[in-house]
């Protein structure tokens, strides 16, 4: 995510979060910083150029619209159940 706030400009920037919405481990953040800074010595190996992912090594995308639509369909399907004779505690 990209952050901006009322704090000084150097507190703003790109924040890297993991799949759980939490801050990534410090060692991962340092690797990303090194990559951005053009440092090509990573994992005890010198790279002649920046390694880019390709084909099967590229991540995948998630179609959230499709998931939302399936969930909405599920919620609508719950409408076939009657609660007329059900007892509700208040």
């Amino acid at each position: 995510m990209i952050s901006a706030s009322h704090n000084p400009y150097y507190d703003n920037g790109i924040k890297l979060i993991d799949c759980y919405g939490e801050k990534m481990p410090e060692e991962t953040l340092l690797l990303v910083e090194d990559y951005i800074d053009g440092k090509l010595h990573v994992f005890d190996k010198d790279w002649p150029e920046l390694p880019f992912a390709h084909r099967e090594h590229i991540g995948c995308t998630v179609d959230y619209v499709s998931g939302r639509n399936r969930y909405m369909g599920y919620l609508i399907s719950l409408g076939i159940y009657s609660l007329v004779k059900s007892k509700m505690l208040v």
Side-chain angles (χ1 to χ4, degrees), residues 16-34:
L16 301 177
I17 54 177
D18 64 15
C19 61
Y20 303 106
E22 298 174 358
K23 183 179 176 182
M24 287 187 172
E26 193 63 30
E27 74 175 16
T28 302
L29 297 176
L30 292 174
L31 285 172
V32 171
E33 280 186 31
D34 285 348

Side-chain angles (χ1 to χ4, degrees), residues 32-77:
V32 171
E33 280 186 31
D34 285 348
Y35 181 85
I36 291 172
D37 291 340
K39 296 178 183 172
L40 303 178
H41 183 80
V42 182
F43 302 121
D44 295 324
K45 181 178 178 182
D46 288 317
W47 300 83
E49 60 184 31
L50 292 176
F52 291 106
H54 48 78
R55 295 192 183 192
E56 69 276 358
H57 298 292
I58 295 177
C60 63
T61 60
V62 177
D63 182 0
Y64 291 105
V65 173
S66 174
R68 183 202 61 206
N69 291 342
R70 284 196 313 269
Y71 182 63
M72 293 295 289
Y74 166 74
L75 293 176
I76 290 169
S77 76

